Amino acid sequence: MIKQDDQPELEAGSCAFFFDVDGTLADIQPRPELVFIPPRSLAALDHLSANGVPVAVVSGRPISQLDALLTPLQLPAAGVHGAERRTAAGELQNLALDHEVLDAIQRELAQACAEHPGLSLENKGVAFALHFRLAPELEETARHVAEDFVSRFGEVLALQPGKCVFELKPRGASKGEVIRTFMQEAPFAGRTPVFIGDDLTDEAGFKVVNELGGVSIKVGSGATEATQRLASVDAVAAWLDRLQSTLLVPQEHPIKPD
């Protein structure tokens, strides 16, 4: 059994790191646009990357939002649970739905949300999220709406439950499979994969990393496929600080944390 106070011990120089964002690098906020990554953690990611350690972010957010949160860094990234991907070489790859199908789903979802004040629709471009964080009593309503759309658009949509959200993502999008793809490419190939996440959406990533002989780390409580655990976003930041000490080459131009 993994414990809340376990502190994963790794040599950063032999690993490739994959980080979820919301609930892992950043505390969850009432609205997605209020989320921020603390400068301390940004500095640590910069330090790792600048010293040749492969670092990528794997999130339900679109890559455009990830870039804004990580500024001034621009890391390899998988957005919308792997429906979008930017390789280490900067190549963009998308797994998108047909535009006419997207437009039809958008219109119907907007109408469904209008009938339930407090239910918020986020259009991610290639996927949709039904948020009920501001109205937790609408969880079953949101679930019913999401399941209805998946039943009617099952050939192209898959349901992904998360913390106070039900997401409708392109079928085939998976954090686990996108991590597997990264691990087949430079500079990730040949290293030990490490994935840190906090949510149901991260379990597929934990499973694949375990299959690859890597290290899976769950942030917070709850049943999980992960083999190790950190208690909170603050614990992740502290762990990142310690992780940097395993690197021997100093960073020349670090981002200064607060």
Side-chain angles (χ1 to χ4, degrees):
M1 178 182 294
I2 54 179
K3 300 178 180 179
Q4 286 284 43
D5 58 356
D6 283 349
Q7 301 297 323
E9 297 294 335
L10 300 170
E11 288 290 336
S14 63
C15 296
F17 292 91
F18 301 91
F19 291 90
D20 175 48
V21 175
D22 295 71
T24 300
L25 290 174
D27 281 314
I28 293 174
Q29 302 293 343
R31 297 195 304 274
E33 65 270 20
L34 298 178
V35 168
F36 65 93
I37 299 174
R40 173 187 183 185
S41 294
L42 282 175
L45 297 178
D46 186 40
H47 189 190
L48 291 171
S49 182
N51 284 288
V53 178
V55 177
V57 285
V58 180
S59 172
R61 288 177 177 268
I63 288 176
S64 59
Q65 291 183 15
L66 296 176
D67 286 346
L69 285 168
L70 288 160
T71 299
L73 302 180
Q74 188 176 84
L75 299 173
V80 197
H81 310 287
E84 300 177 339
R85 190 171 81 97
R86 181 173 62 223
T87 69
E91 179 185 355
L92 293 174
Q93 302 173 349
N94 290 333
L95 176 65
L97 303 179
D98 179 86
H99 286 297
E100 291 186 3
V101 174
L102 280 171
D103 289 344
I105 294 172
Q106 161 73 29
R107 288 192 301 270
E108 290 192 44
L109 279 173
Q111 178 60 41
C113 288
E115 295 173 2
H116 302 285
L119 191 60
S120 174
L121 174 63
E122 180 186 4
N123 186 339
K124 297 186 176 184
V126 294
F128 302 92
L130 296 173
H131 296 275
F132 55 91
R133 181 169 298 278
L134 297 178
E137 69 277 7
L138 292 179
E139 178 176 1
E140 288 308 309
T141 298
R143 183 193 305 276
H144 176 76
V145 170
E147 289 177 345
D148 174 62
F149 274 79
V150 169
S151 70
R152 291 191 290 119
F153 296 94
E155 292 185 359
V156 293
L157 286 179
L159 178 61
Q160 178 62 71
K163 289 182 177 177
C164 296
V165 66
F166 291 101
E167 300 198 47
L168 302 170
K169 64 180 184 178
R171 184 165 293 281
S174 163
K175 287 187 177 183
E177 291 310 308
V178 81
I179 289 173
R180 194 190 302 275
T181 299
F182 272 121
M183 288 303 301
Q184 294 169 354
E185 304 171 347
F188 302 91
R191 290 174 171 263
T192 300
V194 181
F195 178 45
I196 303 94
D198 74 303
D199 201 354
L200 289 172
T201 65
D202 300 311
E203 292 299 319
F206 296 149
K207 184 175 181 180
V208 166
V209 165
N210 292 344
E211 290 174 2
L212 296 175
V215 179
S216 52
I217 304 172
K218 162 84 168 179
V219 180
S221 60
T224 183
E225 295 277 351
T227 59
Q228 302 198 45
R229 195 185 299 271
L230 289 164
S232 64
V233 170
D234 286 343
V236 173
W239 176 73
L240 279 170
D241 285 343
R242 292 192 302 276
L243 191 63
Q244 294 175 81
S245 69
T246 68
L247 296 172
L248 300 178
V249 182
Q251 185 185 12
E252 294 182 0
H253 302 290
I255 300 173
K256 294 181 180 180
D258 287 349

